[in-house]
Amino acid sequence: MRTTTLGSKGLEVGVIGLGCMGMTYSFDMQTPRDDATSIALIHQALDLGMTLIDTADAYGPYTNEVLVGRALAGGHRDRAVLATKVGLLTDSPQTANPASTSPGASRDGRPEHVRESIDGSLRRLGTDHVDLYQQTGWTRGCRWRRPGERWRRPWRRARPASSACPR
């Protein structure tokens, strides 16, 4: 399979990846899920040369990472570039942001939430690292920084940086 390089670190992945969201979450929730079929599909994708396996803590919530972790156990992890996401909260209607357009969902991009979430993701995935950790959406008012550098979305007007990221 043809590959491409992601980012400055040279993470090489197949140009086609497998998004696992629908295996446990979102589409046709009335139909029972078949974990054995989903795991076999992940194995087949790896056998066909797909390397990017994508999940998120919000899918299920949490059940998709558990499923992907089970699929990558037993020697399959070293064949995969594992991607997961953080920042979308869907685990209860109480977390919903009234301003959100997604009922039962809100966003939390605060650094302390991201640090807590990666620990849970690693545990559920049964691995000591993920290859690509992505933030889902954007938390208004939250500014990510590198030492000495401020990150901004280039298409938005700059706002003063906030020391705290609101929920």
Side-chain angles (χ1 to χ4, degrees), residues 22-73:
M23 295 176 181
T24 61
Y25 179 74
S26 194
F27 307 110
D28 189 18
M29 293 303 292
Q30 286 70 38
T31 302
R33 304 300 189 209
D34 181 358
D35 288 355
T37 299
S38 295
I39 290 169
L41 177 68
I42 293 169
H43 292 169
Q44 184 177 18
L46 292 169
D47 291 344
L48 291 172
M50 289 184 195
T51 55
L52 183 63
I53 305 296
D54 179 75
T55 184
D57 61 1
Y59 302 162
Y62 312 119
T63 56
N64 199 263
E65 287 182 331
V66 172
L67 175 72
V68 169
R70 286 177 44 214
L72 295 181

Side-chain angles (χ1 to χ4, degrees), residues 93-107 167:
Q94 291 78 20
T95 63
N97 175 352
S100 174
T101 58
S102 301
S106 64
R107 299 201 190 309
R167 205 168 202 171

Side-chain angles (χ1 to χ4, degrees), residues 15 32 79 99 106 120 124-126 129 137 147 163 166:
V15 295
R79 298 170 53 204
S106 64
R124 287 184 294 274
L125 290 162
H129 72 285
S163 59

Side-chain angles (χ1 to χ4, degrees), residues 124-158:
R124 287 184 294 274
L125 290 162
T127 188
D128 63 353
H129 72 285
V130 295
D131 301 297
L132 182 60
Y133 197 49
Q134 305 160 91
Q135 183 176 356
T136 302
W138 183 257
T139 303
R140 185 176 295 279
C142 185
R143 302 288 187 243
W144 287 85
R145 300 178 192 172
R146 284 187 187 165
E149 178 182 342
R150 181 170 161 179
W151 293 2
R152 283 186 211 142
R153 294 169 123 183
W155 57 89
R156 292 193 184 244
R157 289 182 16 206

